[in-house]
Amino acid sequence: MKAALASVQELFDFRTLPRTMIYLVMFVMVTTSSYHLYRTRSPVRYDRAAKFREGHNIYCADRAGIDFRCVHMWGRALSQSMDEFLKLGNTYPPLMILLYWPLSLVSENMAYFLFVWILEGFMFYSIYSILKQCLDSRNIASGWVWVGAGAFWAFFNHTYPVVFSLERGNSDLVALGFACAFLAALQRGCFYWATAALFMATQIKIYPALLVFLLLKRAGWKFVFIFTILNVAALFALGWVGLVNFLEGLDRLMHPDVSWAGNHSFQGYFIYAFPSWDVVNRELTTSILKYGFLGSFAAILSFDAIRRGYLWTFSKPRTEQVTHLSLGDVGLIGMACQIMCLLPATSHDYKLVIQILPALLLLSRSVETISRHERFANLILVLLGILNALIFSPYHFKMPLLVITFFGYLTLWIVSTRGGSAEEPRAAVA
């Protein structure tokens, strides 16, 4: 009993909490309040009087789970013959089709019902694995990890991107789960498991491959090579014709004309916001922004690698092995997650669930080691709390918001690298 009371007292003793709890307060408060602010700003579309909006502003499709039903249809066609499968034009990685094939053995409605619970399970694991390193590092009883994970799971279940993802039956929450498993295995030093988890995340959704820089940083080129070989081999899971079919479908997805405010990619934003632009100017602007952000991120990673190499050579004992993620690493992951949502031609709100990863990773980091820029770091954490909250709100036109958040994480990375400490104190992680 005394131990339980001590755990409760420590949990609510704000003097012992990480400084990033400032971020948590802003994130939760702005997320919940933004929904009510959104509902009071009802457009005068159906009536002269503005009405209080209900729900999450989700544009419901004709049938629930429309994205998953496509995968179910491809699985049914594959059971008949490869020719029937090829006629439908697949747009997902071949290995993913095989992994989801067992769900095609049951009815479409039952498969969608089961898949929603699979998505819920992956989301809970994602939240649990991230929070575990936050509370474990403070020697708080593991029961509080389950309490916190349950609370955040319920919290995110009422946010627009998560509800949108469940309604569509999209697989981004599965990719998020494997990405979190990758980070957990990487921090434990289980590099083979980390490689396998990142491989699975990439095969579910291509964009988590951006996190390969962490695999290179922690495990080295050997595991990056294994990761590459696995992904190339998986592309032939349905043979050469299956690969060609997938690449053709992927090419169609790269050039859509999705004129909708809910498409948060560079390309989708300019199609909707500037319809008077001709195709050449729009494509040129989109290309400049895409390659500009990718090039900038590559330059940041290169600089970070050089800086770490210098510190490792001249400042750090060669026998020390850092196993956790520093605040700078979280900044890099945050930048990568913004790019994941900005670069694909089609990037609806269901893709924003990947933002759960950096949003919760900030809770496990501390700013105590940033001696020279501590106040500025606190300000950045407050701003990131507000920005992440707005990302999970039901508002549209989030491309500019994602760009600002990218620079927020960039600033956090810069502050952490200039704070006089390369890494934070070591902590137990999941």
Side-chain angles (χ1 to χ4, degrees):
M1 180 62 69
K2 291 183 178 180
L5 291 176
S7 296
V8 173
Q9 184 178 5
E10 183 178 0
L11 184 65
F12 292 99
D13 185 356
F14 290 97
R15 294 171 299 176
T16 65
L17 292 176
R19 296 284 179 83
T20 45
M21 284 299 174
I22 299 171
Y23 160 83
L24 172 62
V25 172
M26 297 305 300
F27 177 69
V28 174
M29 288 181 62
V30 176
T31 302
T32 52
S33 62
S34 65
Y35 273 81
H36 299 300
L37 292 174
Y38 161 79
R39 288 167 175 166
T40 60
R41 297 178 64 248
S42 176
V44 184
R45 184 179 303 173
Y46 305 110
D47 199 336
R48 290 184 180 274
K51 296 182 178 179
F52 189 81
R53 286 173 171 173
E54 298 179 0
H56 292 75
N57 187 33
I58 292 178
Y59 291 88
C60 296
D62 292 335
R63 302 182 69 190
I66 187 171
D67 288 349
F68 172 77
R69 292 178 190 275
C70 289
V71 180
H72 187 274
M73 177 180 62
W74 292 327
R76 283 287 180 90
L78 187 62
S79 298
Q80 298 175 15
S81 68
M82 178 60 75
D83 291 336
E84 290 296 321
F85 172 76
L86 296 175
K87 289 178 183 178
L88 298 177
N90 169 44
T91 57
Y92 287 97
L95 182 60
M96 176 183 166
I97 301 299
L98 290 180
L99 291 174
Y100 285 18
W101 175 80
L103 288 172
S104 68
L105 300 178
V106 298
S107 68
E108 195 175 85
N109 291 332
M110 176 58 70
Y112 169 61
F113 175 80
L114 294 174
F115 187 65
V116 167
W117 283 104
I118 292 173
L119 294 179
E120 291 281 16
F122 270 96
M123 184 171 68
F124 182 84
Y125 166 76
S126 302
I127 297 170
Y128 174 83
S129 65
I130 298 172
L131 290 184
K132 194 173 192 312
Q133 64 171 300
C134 174
L135 295 184
D136 277 2
S137 64
R138 309 195 64 78
N139 297 319
I140 294 176
S142 60
W144 288 109
V145 182
W146 290 96
V147 172
F152 270 106
W153 178 80
F155 173 78
F156 280 111
N157 259 304
H158 289 83
T159 60
Y160 178 55
V162 170
V163 177
F164 195 108
S165 180
L166 297 175
E167 191 274 337
R168 290 295 192 270
N170 206 274
S171 299
D172 291 80
L173 285 170
V174 179
L176 171 66
F178 280 115
C180 292
F182 159 70
L183 291 179
L186 193 69
Q187 293 173 89
R188 288 199 303 266
C190 304
F191 297 140
Y192 284 103
W193 285 111
T195 304
L198 186 59
F199 158 70
M200 291 299 299
T202 305
Q203 287 300 309
I204 297 298
K205 290 287 183 178
I206 300 172
Y207 58 80
L210 270 176
L211 296 177
V212 73
F213 74 88
L214 284 173
L215 186 64
L216 174 61
K217 181 186 296 186
R218 298 300 176 90
W221 286 103
K222 170 186 173 181
F223 292 92
V224 173
F225 178 75
I226 295 174
F227 169 75
T228 304
I229 292 299
L230 287 174
N231 278 284
V232 172
L235 291 175
F236 293 91
L238 294 177
W240 174 256
V241 291
L243 172 60
V244 172
N245 185 260
F246 164 63
L247 293 177
E248 290 175 349
L250 194 63
D251 182 68
R252 291 193 300 272
L253 286 179
M254 293 175 64
H255 305 283
D257 187 15
V258 183
S259 179
W260 180 43
N263 186 2
H264 309 302
S265 66
F266 285 129
Q267 186 169 339
Y269 177 81
F270 287 112
I271 290 174
Y272 186 88
F274 302 98
S276 60
W277 282 15
D278 58 60
V279 177
V280 175
N281 287 333
R282 190 167 60 225
E283 291 292 334
L284 178 61
T285 304
T286 301
S287 298
I288 291 174
L289 287 172
K290 281 185 177 181
Y291 293 113
F293 269 77
L294 273 179
S296 300
F297 188 60
I300 291 168
L301 291 178
S302 300
F303 177 82
D304 186 70
I306 294 172
R307 181 188 67 86
R308 287 173 179 271
Y310 175 85
L311 291 173
W312 182 265
T313 303
F314 298 103
S315 302
K316 290 285 183 180
R318 294 178 180 270
T319 56
E320 179 181 350
Q321 181 179 1
V322 178
T323 59
H324 66 284
L325 295 173
S326 68
L327 191 62
D329 289 330
V330 176
L332 293 174
I333 294 172
M335 285 185 274
C337 288
Q338 309 315 305
I339 292 176
M340 293 177 195
C341 297
L342 289 168
L343 264 59
T346 302
S347 183
H348 296 165
D349 282 84
Y350 53 70
K351 197 176 295 293
L352 297 180
V353 296
I354 194 66
Q355 303 298 333
I356 293 176
L357 178 57
L360 291 185
L361 274 177
L362 280 173
L363 299 180
S364 63
R365 300 301 94 205
S366 170
V367 296
E368 275 80 357
T369 58
I370 304 178
S371 56
R372 290 181 294 173
H373 305 281
E374 184 175 328
R375 292 184 178 178
F376 186 62
N378 286 336
L379 176 61
I380 294 301
L381 289 171
V382 169
L383 293 176
L384 283 174
I386 297 173
L387 290 169
N388 279 321
L390 294 177
I391 287 175
F392 284 95
S393 71
Y395 294 94
H396 291 319
F397 291 115
K398 292 179 181 175
M399 189 279 282
L401 188 63
L402 293 169
V403 171
I404 297 172
T405 307
F406 174 90
F407 286 105
Y409 282 113
L410 172 61
T411 306
L412 186 66
W413 173 78
I414 293 173
V415 170
S416 68
T417 58
R418 293 176 60 86
S421 177
E423 303 288 347
E424 299 176 17
R426 297 182 68 177
V429 294

